[in-house]
Amino acid sequence: MEDNCIFCKIANGEIPSATVYEDETFRAILDLSPAAKGHTLILPKAHAANLFELPDETAAKALMLAKKLGAVLKEGLHADGLNVVQNNGEAAGQTVLHFHMHLIPRYSGDTVNVGWKPGHLTDEDRDEVLKLFQK
Ligand code: AMP
Ligand code: ZN
């Protein structure tokens, strides 16, 4: 646990939360400021600030849990779709610096915004990025 980390305290039960799921590795809770009904957060109990700090085994389990809980939300709330969102770093919109995954039920025509304005892949950008993976 990290001092002064609210998600450490919630994940480990020191602060009460609307818990939808718990096992030895994770707690999943309802977001207090939901983008949509059922907006759920998956929190590992061990502190990791972001995806890059998360142990591989926990990362793999987190996605499996997102699949399992997401299916319950989608079916139970009759959603048309589901966003799995995970922000890393303040520049990417992360406000709580303890890894978490958002599960957001979506409905055709809803006004939830997790999108971006599509850009254009330039030849220069393509070549620069492809090179990163050739090392
Ligand atoms: P992010 O912007 O990806 O870091 O997401 C943080 C999320 O945590 C936001 O959706 C907040 O509404 C949510 N949140 C912050 N504090 C709490 C809390 N005490 N209980 C439940 N959700 C929280
Ligand atoms: Zn933490």
Side-chain angles (χ1 to χ4, degrees):
M1 280 201 31
E2 182 118 323
D3 286 348
N4 299 320
C5 174
I6 185 157
F7 279 4
C8 276
K9 294 189 173 101
I10 291 173
N12 291 283
E14 283 184 23
I15 294 178
S17 62
T19 294
V20 302
Y21 175 88
E22 183 182 6
D23 63 22
E24 61 185 10
T25 312
F26 298 101
R27 182 186 295 270
I29 65 168
L30 296 183
D31 196 297
L32 273 187
S33 306
K37 183 163 76 175
H39 184 164
T40 294
L41 301 173
I42 295 174
L43 317 176
K45 290 184 173 177
H47 182 85
N50 53 47
L51 181 62
F52 307 108
E53 287 192 4
L54 198 66
D56 285 352
E57 193 187 338
T58 312
K61 282 184 182 167
L63 192 57
M64 288 190 278
L65 186 56
K67 180 180 173 185
K68 180 170 156 175
L69 301 184
V72 174
L73 288 167
K74 189 170 177 294
E75 191 183 328
L77 295 174
H78 310 290
D80 301 312
L82 180 98
N83 287 119
V84 178
V85 178
Q86 197 275 307
N87 301 323
N88 297 284
E90 289 177 31
Q94 187 177 12
T95 59
V96 180
L97 303 182
H98 174 124
F99 174 92
H100 53 280
M101 293 174 90
H102 297 259
L103 306 178
I104 306 174
R106 298 297 304 274
Y107 298 88
S108 302
D110 71 23
T111 56
V112 175
N113 181 13
V114 292
W116 56 85
K117 185 167 156 272
H120 170 70
L121 179 62
T122 64
D123 291 353
E124 197 183 18
D125 286 356
R126 179 199 59 206
D127 293 347
E128 181 185 341
V129 177
L130 286 178
K131 262 190 211 148
L132 299 177
F133 295 93
Q134 286 164 2
K135 284 172 188 161

